[in-house]
Amino acid sequence: MSRRDTTHFLRTSLAIIIACTLAYAELFNATRQFTAYDDNAYVTSQPLVKGFRVEMIPKIFDPSTTVASNYHPLTVLSLGIDHRLFGPSARAFGLVNLTLHILTSLMVLLLLRRLLRERPWLPEIGALWFAIHPLHVESVAWVSGRKDVLYGLWFVISVLLYIGSVEKGKRALLGAAFCAFVLSCLSKPSAVVLPLVLVLVDIVRGRGITLKTMGEKAPFLVVSLIIGIITVRAQTAAGAVADAATFSVLERIVIAGYGFVMYWVHMIWPVGLNAFYPYPSVNNVFTLPWYAYVMPLLAAGMVTLPWLMRRRSIAADAATTGSTWSMLALGSGWFAVTILLVLQLVSVGMVIMADRYTYIPMIGMLCVILIGVDLLLQRQRIVGWLIVTAFTFLQGVQTYQQAGMWRNTETIWTSILQRTGNTGTADEVVRANLSDGYVMIYVLRGIHYFEKNQPDKAYADLRHIMRAESPRTDAYERLGLLAGMMGKIDESIAAYSVAISRPDASADAYLNRGIGYLRTGRPDEARRDFEMGLTKNPLPEIQERLEQLLNY
């Protein structure tokens, strides 16, 4: 870079740092806490993090060591170092996330400058939007989002080094790109698609697919295969992958198309984003809306059209780095390749979408959107800049507001329920939320209130599981206990009965339902429960209750 370019880059970087810091001002809040949304698995209850010592590093990197059903040792190591340096400070962990995100945004600036040559201000706009777009709040403000910002940083660095190796013909840069790729894979398995991104870069830059170019990527592909096998085994062993019979092939295709299109909708209109997007349902039963069946066709067109148009215009310089159709093709291809693994073609988890999944795919979206911005600025400069400014302001405001969702456990669960889009009276909203599949959020918030010794609030949330089934047996047991404490004996018995109908019910469920039967004058049923409870776990209290009943 020339001295002028260096000065411009430094000024742009400073502007991005300031904008990002303001948008994420919430992360400086001293009252921030870890949330019960996986932060327990990653930090507060994770021995590899809480008790981190240097001698634990081999254990962390052991392929058999998984955290939250995934193999991402570099992420675990970084969290362990944080804990060693800052202790259990949610604010410190969040600020490290913010620092990594800012660094990634600056790397995106460098990448867009390489891809969008001769297009002034587009790289700067793109990097700024990457930094402050609310789709990234989940990855930055959520402590457990560390895996996204860490893998994202190494991912972009790897692509930058690869482009440098191609332009300068230096094998050392290719080796450095490979090392960065390995670090990205060790931060989050989603990085395994990077070799395909490099192939796309080769194509639009005129290198094509040859034995030489594919040979360069052979080591990358080997690492991708190894990390992929480890990840599939880890998630399958943890039961995170849904049974193949859960959805039909057609339903999986429609679900993937739905997610693909909706990510673009959220990118262009980032208002009311949420931290939980359940599968579409009616009365808590999976039901796809009619328009979802059109989305796979729309998604296919969004990916293939730019490549078809690029092919038509290939003779007119379409293979150069900055050509319009080449950039549209690269952007659409980048997004498709990097989002593919999380489109729920193989269902993992409870959500159909997640904002954090767009962390690296957004770079492809930006390539497409920035071409549109460029065309607008060429034709209507003043109007174009007004739209760019307004969109930038909208992103900043939404990010600032959305970051507050992650202040603590109560704020995240409550914010999710407030952002479902359902309106009406309080009871109507609850009924709609339950119908739409948000029962688990009520359960999680209810359990949080239960653990914080707020029984009235806990009961108010947990009682909803008698209307919409919850997969968590312990939720019914807690509801039974709360209802019994409040003198609602019949409701307590009903809740315990649901728990006992499941194989993972505890001995306490039998004990407490038996006590409920005694309080309602049903000693024979109480005796049967006490006897069954003893077969589950011979607790002294159950034995004592049974003896008292038999001697009565």
Side-chain angles (χ1 to χ4, degrees):
M1 280 191 287
S2 66
R3 184 174 180 179
R4 181 179 178 183
D5 286 342
T6 301
T7 301
H8 178 69
F9 174 76
L10 292 176
R11 288 176 176 172
T12 303
S13 299
L14 180 60
I16 290 174
I17 292 171
I18 293 173
C20 199
T21 302
L22 291 174
Y24 285 99
E26 166 64 28
L27 272 62
F28 292 86
N29 191 326
T31 65
R32 282 176 56 79
Q33 302 172 9
F34 293 102
T35 71
Y37 198 173
D38 280 358
D39 286 351
N40 52 341
Y42 280 95
V43 181
T44 59
S45 300
Q46 178 50 248
L48 294 174
V49 172
K50 291 176 62 179
F52 173 73
R53 300 184 306 277
V54 173
E55 54 267 29
M56 296 172 66
I57 293 178
K59 172 65 175 176
I60 291 173
F61 281 84
D62 187 327
S64 65
T65 300
T66 59
V67 172
S69 306
N70 269 303
Y71 178 68
H72 32 40
L74 195 61
T75 292
V76 177
L77 176 61
S78 74
L79 293 170
I81 293 173
D82 280 4
H83 201 282
R84 191 67 180 267
L85 293 175
F86 311 117
S89 169
R91 179 172 68 168
F93 280 74
L95 291 177
V96 173
N97 278 11
L98 178 60
T99 301
L100 290 170
H101 177 59
I102 289 174
L103 290 174
T104 305
S105 301
L106 299 183
M107 293 302 103
V108 170
L109 172 61
L110 290 175
L111 177 61
L112 292 177
R113 291 182 66 173
R114 303 291 282 273
L115 297 176
L116 295 167
R117 292 176 177 174
E118 310 302 327
R119 296 179 188 267
W121 291 110
L122 292 190
E124 291 78 6
I125 295 170
L128 176 60
W129 287 355
F130 182 91
I132 66 171
H133 199 287
L135 274 174
H136 285 164
V137 170
E138 187 171 319
S139 296
V140 181
W142 183 30
V143 170
S144 299
R146 173 65 57 84
K147 54 189 176 293
D148 296 311
V149 291
L150 191 58
Y151 111 89
L153 176 61
W154 291 115
F155 193 104
V156 180
I157 288 175
S158 181
V159 176
L160 273 170
L161 289 169
Y162 178 79
I163 292 175
S165 73
V166 171
E167 293 178 346
K168 299 178 181 180
K170 293 185 177 180
R171 302 290 296 180
L173 289 177
L174 181 60
F178 174 73
C179 291
F181 166 63
V182 172
L183 293 174
S184 186
C185 285
L186 294 177
S187 301
K188 187 177 182 181
S190 298
V192 296
V193 299
L194 185 139
L196 298 179
V197 171
L198 300 184
V199 171
L200 294 175
V201 171
D202 280 345
I203 293 173
V204 299
R205 292 172 71 87
R207 295 188 79 209
I209 300 176
T210 65
L211 287 176
K212 178 184 177 182
T213 60
M214 294 308 296
E216 294 171 346
K217 296 164 190 63
F220 293 79
L221 293 169
V222 171
V223 171
S224 292
L225 180 62
I226 294 172
I227 295 296
I229 292 173
I230 293 173
T231 300
V232 170
R233 286 180 175 176
Q235 294 192 339
T236 302
V241 180
D243 187 274
T246 303
F247 301 112
S248 67
V249 174
L250 175 60
E251 286 174 335
R252 292 175 187 275
I253 294 173
V254 175
I255 288 170
Y258 176 88
F260 187 101
V261 174
M262 290 307 298
Y263 282 126
W264 278 97
V265 172
H266 290 177
M267 175 71 185
I268 296 169
W269 185 244
V271 176
L273 302 183
N274 212 338
F276 187 84
Y277 302 102
Y279 283 89
S281 63
V282 176
N283 294 326
N284 211 31
V285 176
F286 173 69
T287 307
L288 286 166
W290 65 267
Y291 55 83
Y293 290 88
V294 181
M295 290 186 174
L297 298 176
L298 182 57
M302 292 169 67
V303 175
T304 58
L305 180 61
W307 288 94
L308 292 174
M309 294 304 296
R310 175 184 177 274
R311 184 175 182 180
R312 287 185 59 182
S313 60
I314 194 75
D317 198 28
T320 60
T321 302
S323 66
T324 297
W325 285 113
S326 282
M327 284 309 304
L328 291 174
L330 175 61
S332 64
W334 180 305
F335 176 76
V337 164
T338 54
I339 203 70
L340 179 63
L341 294 180
V342 291
L343 287 179
Q344 304 297 0
L345 284 166
V346 177
S347 183
V348 178
M350 299 176 59
V351 294
I352 193 170
M353 298 166 56
D355 291 352
R356 63 185 179 275
Y357 293 160
T358 66
Y359 197 73
I360 285 299
M362 184 181 286
I363 297 174
M365 300 165 103
L366 287 170
C367 288
V368 173
I369 292 172
L370 290 173
I371 292 299
V373 170
D374 186 40
L375 295 174
L376 178 61
L377 291 175
Q378 290 179 27
R379 289 165 173 75
Q380 297 286 340
R381 186 172 183 82
I382 295 177
V383 173
W385 278 111
L386 286 174
I387 292 175
V388 167
T389 302
F391 188 54
T392 302
F393 182 76
L394 173 66
Q395 292 179 65
V397 170
Q398 291 295 317
T399 292
Y400 178 83
Q401 295 175 345
Q402 200 167 321
M405 292 176 63
W406 297 93
R407 185 172 299 173
N408 55 52
T409 298
E410 182 177 2
T411 58
I412 184 60
W413 301 142
T414 300
S415 295
I416 288 173
L417 294 173
Q418 290 173 342
R419 289 169 172 257
T420 61
N422 292 317
T423 59
T425 65
D427 187 63
E428 288 172 344
V429 169
V430 169
R431 288 181 180 275
N433 288 347
L434 294 175
S435 175
D436 291 347
Y438 288 92
V439 61
M440 181 54 72
I441 305 303
Y442 285 105
V443 168
L444 293 171
R445 190 174 67 173
I447 290 175
H448 168 72
Y449 286 140
F450 184 94
E451 293 172 347
K452 293 297 181 180
N453 196 26
Q454 300 180 55
D456 291 339
K457 289 184 176 181
Y459 172 76
D461 277 347
L462 291 177
R463 66 189 177 90
H464 298 313
I465 60 179
M466 300 306 291
R467 289 195 286 179
E469 185 178 4
S470 167
R472 291 190 57 160
T473 301
D474 65 325
Y476 289 96
E477 294 191 18
R478 293 171 197 251
L479 175 60
L481 181 60
L482 289 168
M485 291 167 56
M486 294 176 176
K488 304 175 186 290
I489 307 305
D490 289 338
E491 188 174 344
S492 175
I493 290 173
Y496 279 125
S497 295
V498 176
I500 288 171
S501 69
R502 300 178 177 186
D504 58 337
S506 70
D508 284 324
Y510 287 94
L511 169 63
N512 291 326
R513 189 175 71 168
I515 293 173
Y517 282 143
L518 282 178
R519 294 174 68 181
T520 54
R522 291 181 275 180
D524 291 339
E525 292 167 283
R527 177 180 54 80
R528 284 195 292 271
D529 270 0
F530 293 152
E531 290 173 345
M532 285 298 300
L534 286 174
T535 64
K536 279 273 187 177
N537 187 1
L539 297 173
E541 186 177 356
I542 302 179
Q543 183 66 47
E544 182 180 345
R545 289 276 185 176
L546 181 59
E547 290 176 356
Q548 290 175 352
L549 179 60
L550 293 175
N551 295 328
Y552 180 71

